[in-house]
C-alpha cells in the first residue's frame, strides 16, 4: 500500500533515546532530521490516503441514495393509482378541483395546475379534460400580465362547459385604485371574463365594499345563465340588486364576516 507503520520496536528505541542523558552515536542531528523528514513524508501519504477514502465514502453514499430512489421509483409502479382508468382519475380530479377552490386561489395554486405538475400522465389528463377547468378562482386585487395569462388559459381549456367562478378583490386604497392596479387594468381582465360570462352558472363574490362597487358593474346584464349567487364581504352588506336582471337566478346567499 506504500504506507509505513510504526512498530513497538521503533517506539522502544525512541523512548530509550528520550530518557537517556547521552544520545547514542547513531542519533546524530543529521540522523534525527532524516527520521523527522521520513515521518513527515509518511504523514502526507496518510493524509492523501484518508482524503481518497473520504471521497470514496461520499461516492458510495451518493450511489446508495441513487439506488434507494431507483428502488422507490420502481416500487411506485405497484401503486393502485396505476390501475385506475383515465375516466376514473378524471372523476377524482374533478371532485378535487371543485372542493379545493378558495377565494385565495391564484395561478400557482389552482388545483388542476397542481395536479398537472405531479407527472406527465396527469398533466395530459388535466390539459385534455375541460371539466377540470370549470371551477375558476379569480383575484383581481392587482391585475398583471400573469393574471391575464391565467384567465385566458382557464377559459380556453374549459371549452364550452358551464363555469363556477369565485371572484375575489380586496382593494381599498383610494390612491391605488383597482381599475389602475398592476400592469393591466381590471377592464383588461373583465373583457376576457365577459366573453365567457354566458357560461357562468354560479358566482361567488368575496370583496370589500370598495372593490365590489368597481367590479360588479362589469357583470351587469352579462350573466344570462347564472343560477347561484354567493356574496361575501368583510366590511358591509353588498347590494345584490345589480343581479336582478339574471333570469335564471334562483339562489342567493349573503354573508358578512
Amino acid at each position: 500500500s506504500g504506507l509505513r507503520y510504526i512498530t513497538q520496536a521503533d517506539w522502544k528505541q525512541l523512548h530509550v533515546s528520550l530518557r537517556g542523558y547521552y544520545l547514542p552515536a547513531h542519533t546524530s542531528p543529521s540522523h534525527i532530521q532524516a527520521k523527522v523528514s521520513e515521518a513527515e513524508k509518511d504523514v502526507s501519504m496518510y493524509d492523501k490516503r484518508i482524503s481518497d477514502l473520504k471521497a470514496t465514502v461520499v461516492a458510495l453514499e451518493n450511489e446508495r441514495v441513487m439506488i434507494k430512489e431507483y428502488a422507490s421509483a420502481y416500487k411506485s409502479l405497484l401503486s393502485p393509482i396505476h390501475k385506475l382508468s383515465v375516466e376514473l382519475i378524471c372523476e377524482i380530479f374533478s371532485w378535487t378541483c371543485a372542493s379545493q377552490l378558495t377565494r385565495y386561489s391564484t395561478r400557482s395554486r389552482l388545483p388542476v395546475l397542481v395536479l398537472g405538475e405531479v407527472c406527465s400522465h396527469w398533466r395530459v389528463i388535466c390539459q385534455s379534460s375541460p371539466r377540470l377547468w370549470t371551477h375558476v378562482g379569480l383575484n383581481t386585487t392587482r391585475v398583471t400580465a400573469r393574471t391575464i395569462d391565467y384567465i385566458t388559459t382557464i377559459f380556453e381549456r374549459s371549452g364550452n362547459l358551464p363555469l363556477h367562478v369565485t371572484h375575489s378583490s380586496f382593494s381599498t386604497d383610494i390612491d391605488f385604485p383597482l381599475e389602475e392596479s398592476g400592469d393591466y387594468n381590471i377592464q383588461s381582465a373583465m373583457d376576457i371574463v365577459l366573453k365567457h360570462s354566458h357560461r357562468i352558472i354560479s358566482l361567488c363574490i368575496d370583496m370589500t365594499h370598495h372593490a365590489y362597487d368597481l367590479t360588479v358593474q362589469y357583470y351587469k346584464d352579462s350573466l344570462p345563465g347564472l343560477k347561484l349567487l354567493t356574496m361575501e364581504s368583510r366590511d358591509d352588506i353588498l347590494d345584490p340588486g345589480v343581479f336582478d336582471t339574471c333570469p335564471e337566478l334562483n339562489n342567493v346567499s349573503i354573508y358578512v364576516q
Side-chain angles (χ1 to χ4, degrees):
S1 63
L3 299 178
R4 189 171 69 89
Y5 301 94
I6 302 299
T7 66
Q8 288 297 324
D10 294 327
W11 275 111
K12 185 176 182 180
Q13 183 179 357
L14 178 58
H15 284 162
V16 170
S17 300
L18 291 173
R19 291 172 180 174
Y21 183 77
Y22 296 102
L23 294 178
H26 66 274
T27 55
S28 62
S30 60
H31 177 78
I32 294 173
Q33 186 59 50
K35 286 290 186 179
V36 171
S37 298
E38 184 180 17
E40 290 177 343
K41 181 179 179 181
D42 289 339
V43 169
S44 296
M45 293 178 65
Y46 272 97
D47 287 342
K48 184 178 185 306
R49 182 66 181 277
I50 292 171
S51 178
D52 291 343
L53 290 174
K54 286 182 177 179
T56 300
V57 170
V58 171
L60 289 173
E61 289 177 341
N62 291 337
E63 188 66 25
R64 178 184 178 277
V65 170
M66 187 178 299
I67 293 175
K68 188 175 181 180
E69 292 176 349
Y70 182 77
S72 178
Y74 249 104
K75 186 177 181 180
S76 69
L77 294 176
L78 300 175
S79 173
I81 190 68
H82 294 288
K83 300 178 181 179
L84 300 181
S85 65
V86 172
E87 292 76 15
L88 185 53
I89 292 177
C90 189
E91 184 67 26
I92 296 173
F93 285 3
S94 180
W95 282 95
T96 301
C97 291
S99 63
Q100 294 298 316
L101 186 65
T102 71
R103 63 180 180 271
Y104 301 109
S105 295
T106 63
R107 185 176 187 276
S108 61
R109 293 181 180 177
L110 192 67
V112 66
L113 292 177
V114 175
L115 291 170
E117 292 174 353
V118 173
C119 64
S120 59
H121 179 52
W122 284 20
R123 183 162 54 252
V124 170
I125 292 176
C126 290
Q127 293 181 354
S128 60
S129 303
R131 67 174 173 151
L132 301 182
W133 302 84
T134 58
H135 289 81
V136 183
L138 303 177
N139 190 325
T140 53
T141 302
R142 183 174 178 84
V143 180
T144 65
R146 185 179 184 183
T147 310
I148 299 300
D149 177 62
Y150 160 73
I151 296 174
T152 301
T153 298
I154 55 179
F155 282 127
E156 286 180 350
R157 292 183 177 176
S158 64
N160 294 313
L161 298 179
L163 299 171
H164 306 269
V165 177
T166 297
H167 191 158
S168 308
S169 185
F170 307 108
S171 176
T172 57
D173 190 344
I174 297 177
D175 296 327
F176 189 63
L178 186 70
E179 64 268 29
E180 296 178 359
S181 63
D183 301 322
Y184 295 78
N185 55 35
I186 191 175
Q187 180 71 55
S188 304
M190 293 307 298
D191 282 346
I192 301 173
V193 174
L194 294 179
K195 290 179 181 178
H196 304 272
S197 61
H198 61 283
R199 296 195 283 130
I200 299 177
I201 61 173
S202 73
L203 176 64
C204 176
I205 291 179
D206 182 17
M207 302 180 182
T208 59
H209 200 284
H210 172 69
Y212 176 79
D213 291 340
L214 291 170
T215 306
V216 74
Q217 59 180 310
Y218 293 101
Y219 285 114
K220 187 176 182 180
D221 301 324
S222 300
L223 300 168
L226 184 66
K227 298 180 179 180
L228 173 64
L229 174 65
T230 302
M231 306 177 73
E232 300 182 16
S233 175
R234 299 184 177 186
D235 51 11
D236 198 1
I237 296 177
L238 304 179
D239 180 13
V242 71
F243 297 99
D244 288 344
T245 57
C246 300
E248 299 295 324
L249 183 60
N250 56 37
N251 191 320
V252 177
S253 301
I254 301 176
Y255 303 94
V256 177
Q257 300 180 15

